[in-house]
Amino acid sequence: QLDQNRILESKVQERTAELAQKNEELEKIVNVDPLTKLLSRRYFAEKLTNLYKSETKTPSTLIVIDLLKFKNFNSNEFALWIPELEDAHRAIGIAREINDLLREPFGYHSFSLKVSPAFGISMYPKNTAFLGDLLKNGEISVREAKQIDGDFKCVLYNEQLHSYAKRRMQIQSLLETIDFEEEFE
């Protein structure tokens, strides 16, 4: 009986270790992009949510980077979260440094690739009262930055952008529900 208990206990410990390893592998699959080896959007959003729920709400800056002409390959949008950065000029300077690095063509197998980055910057608490809105505001800003002509496409989130994005959503919603035969002019 004692031998059987030890054998069973050993099997349970082995199985528990196997399950822990499989859970770790699964977490890595879910939280890490296989191509870039960077943390995934899901992981990032979860971390921002956890930060928002925590007691310490340190000022921070989020830079959303959209690599135009890169979607054909994969992983075209990235986010850089910089805790304790409150200076908008410094945030724009960081975006400019990244822009300069990414504007250089780089090799991928036998191809030479050139990407065109666009940057959306959102700051907490300067641009939003809620840490959880950093990502949404950064995405609004990067969407506007993509419309800019020139070598440096960068937009810092502000209330005017918020109003503009809200109005655009209202118009889009109305267009989806409108009876074009009766109501459209």
Side-chain angles (χ1 to χ4, degrees):
Q1 181 91 11
L2 262 125
D3 285 341
Q4 285 180 340
N5 282 346
R6 280 191 213 122
I7 292 170
L8 266 173
E9 196 172 301
S10 173
K11 294 280 185 193
V12 167
Q13 287 175 351
E14 284 176 30
R15 186 66 178 145
T16 302
E18 284 176 26
L19 288 174
Q21 181 182 357
K22 292 293 181 191
N23 281 339
E24 193 175 304
E25 290 172 15
L26 184 60
E27 281 291 313
K28 194 171 189 177
I29 289 169
V30 169
N31 292 326
V32 177
D33 180 80
L35 178 65
T36 63
K37 305 296 185 232
L38 296 172
L39 295 171
S40 70
R41 179 186 190 90
R42 178 190 167 280
Y43 179 84
F44 187 72
E46 186 178 301
K47 280 295 182 190
L48 277 179
T49 301
N50 290 340
L51 278 171
Y52 177 71
K53 289 177 183 175
S54 74
E55 293 295 319
T56 57
K57 292 182 175 56
T58 49
S60 56
T61 295
L62 179 74
I63 302 176
V64 175
I65 307 164
D66 192 326
L67 299 180
L68 310 173
K69 303 177 189 172
F70 195 70
K71 199 171 199 160
N72 298 339
F73 295 95
N74 196 2
S75 305
N76 67 314
E77 196 169 276
F78 301 88
L80 174 63
W81 179 62
I82 309 167
E84 299 181 19
L85 178 63
E86 296 180 76
D87 182 3
H89 295 292
R90 179 68 187 125
I92 292 169
I94 290 169
R96 189 173 295 280
E97 289 174 36
I98 295 170
N99 183 70
D100 293 345
L101 290 170
L102 291 175
R103 302 279 307 165
E104 295 295 319
F106 60 93
Y108 181 73
H109 295 289
S110 63
F111 302 102
S112 178
L113 302 173
K114 187 171 182 178
V115 296
S116 178
F119 301 89
I121 300 174
S122 177
M123 304 180 85
Y124 170 80
K126 192 176 279 187
N127 303 134
T128 179
F130 302 104
L131 191 59
D133 287 342
L134 269 178
L135 187 56
K136 179 186 70 156
N137 295 348
E139 288 173 336
I140 290 169
S141 299
V142 81
R143 191 170 35 242
E144 293 302 316
K146 290 193 285 189
Q147 307 305 316
I148 296 173
D149 287 330
D151 290 337
F152 184 53
K153 302 171 186 311
C154 183
V155 171
L156 179 65
Y157 182 84
N158 59 46
E159 276 305 310
Q160 184 180 1
L161 272 181
H162 178 75
S163 298
Y164 182 67
K166 186 176 176 182
R167 179 69 179 141
R168 189 183 319 171
M169 285 190 303
Q170 287 172 337
I171 291 170
Q172 185 176 356
S173 176
L174 287 171
L175 285 173
E176 289 174 5
T177 60
I178 196 169
D179 180 356
F180 282 93
E181 300 290 325
E182 300 289 325
E183 300 178 61
F184 192 72
E185 287 184 33

